[in-house]
């Protein structure tokens, strides 16, 4: 089944404790992206990647890192999480030839 | 970049057609109209997209006005499972970092 898989689905952590949210897709998509969703602010893009080793900032990249060492994986790294990064996070992927994005189920992160 | 305007909420009776409007008066010639929906807090789901011709798939129909300044997403026979937030997005087809979801329309399908 074609899908985008995020892990973990739920995470509670404390300020400053490094964490990684994984994202994997099995559709051989070149494009992958991370969004965060906050009440009243909608979905905002954090980082995106057009292919392996090619990443770029979205609208709200501060406090986040990403890497794209393999085509299928696009982890989101929070080196020193802060409470303002408490949010619902979504990973998405798409073929470059057609901008139809497939989204993961989401990761709900709480930073205390 | 084109912005979209959608009503914040709409109601629809189960089994009836749901017509969701979207205004995009500043749309550029190379920008497509995309529709996604988000059921509760699940990941957004692609519905349909088009450039200037009307489009139909198994989920919905998309009607784009001749001047391309507005469009309507039609769910022909709404069910309770269609209750969701529907997002209208305009974006060039190959410009992945200009994909703004906005606030969307909360569609409430009622029995």
């Amino acid at each position: 089944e074609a899908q985008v898989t995020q892990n973990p689905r739920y995470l509670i952590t404390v300020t400053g404790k490094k964490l990684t949210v994984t994202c994997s897709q099995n559709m051989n998509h070149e494009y992958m992206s991370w969004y965060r969703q906050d009440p009243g602010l909608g979905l905002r893009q954090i980082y995106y990647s057009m292919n392996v080793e090619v990443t770029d900032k979205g609208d709200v990249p501060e406090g986040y890192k990403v890497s794209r060492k393999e085509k299928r994986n696009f982890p989101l790294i929070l080196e020193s999480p802060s409470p303002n990064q408490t949010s619902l996070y979504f990973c998405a992927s798409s073929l470059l030839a057609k901008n139809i994005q497939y989204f993961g189920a989401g990761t709900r992160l709480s930073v205390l | 970049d084109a912005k979209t305007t959608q009503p914040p909420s709409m109601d629809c009776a189960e089994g009836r057609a749901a017509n969701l409007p979207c205004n995009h008066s500043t749309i550029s010639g190379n920008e497509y109209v995309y529709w996604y929906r988000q059921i509760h807090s699940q990941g957004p789901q692609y519905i349909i997209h088009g450039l200037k011709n009307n489009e139909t798939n198994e989920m919905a129909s998309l009607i784009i006005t001749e001047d391309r300044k507005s469009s309507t997403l039609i769910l022909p026979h709404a069910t309770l499972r269609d209750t969701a937030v529907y997002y209208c997005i305009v974006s060039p087809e190959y410009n992945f970092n200009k994909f703004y979801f906005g606030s969307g329309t909360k569609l409430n399908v009622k029995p």
Side-chain angles (χ1 to χ4, degrees), chain A residues 14-57:
Chain A
V14 295
T15 300
K17 185 175 181 182
K18 180 179 178 180
L19 66 92
T20 299
V21 184
T22 64
C23 174
S24 180
Q25 50 92 7
N26 62 0
M27 295 169 280
N28 202 35
H29 286 169
E30 299 93 352
Y31 173 84
M32 297 186 75
S33 179
W34 277 101
Y35 294 85
R36 61 177 289 175
Q37 186 171 31
D38 304 288
L41 295 176
L43 279 135
R44 294 177 293 168
Q45 190 178 54
I46 303 171
Y47 268 96
Y48 65 97
S49 169
M50 303 294 275
N51 217 322
V52 175
E53 303 292 1
V54 180
T55 64
D56 209 345
K57 297 177 180 178

Side-chain angles (χ1 to χ4, degrees), chain B residues 8 18 20-21 42 47-48 62 82 90 96 99:
Chain B
L20 292 94
Q42 298 177 20
I47 301 173
I48 198 167
L62 173 60
D82 292 321
V90 293
F96 290 81
F99 213 76

Side-chain angles (χ1 to χ4, degrees), chain A residues 31 35 37 43 45 48 50 59 88 90 94-97 99-101 103-104 108, chain B residues 34 36 38 41-44 46 49 87 91-97 99-101:
Chain A
Y31 173 84
Y35 294 85
Q37 186 171 31
L43 279 135
Q45 190 178 54
Y48 65 97
M50 303 294 275
D59 296 316
L88 178 58
F90 290 104
S94 173
L95 288 171
L96 279 182
N99 192 356
I100 296 175
Q101 298 189 43
F103 284 79
R108 191 170 291 279
Chain B
Y34 292 83
Y36 281 73
Q38 187 175 24
S41 294
Q42 298 177 20
Y46 166 81
H49 78 291
Y87 298 98
S91 175
E93 192 170 33
Y94 303 111
N95 198 337
F96 290 81
N97 64 332
F99 213 76
Y100 299 115
F101 277 80

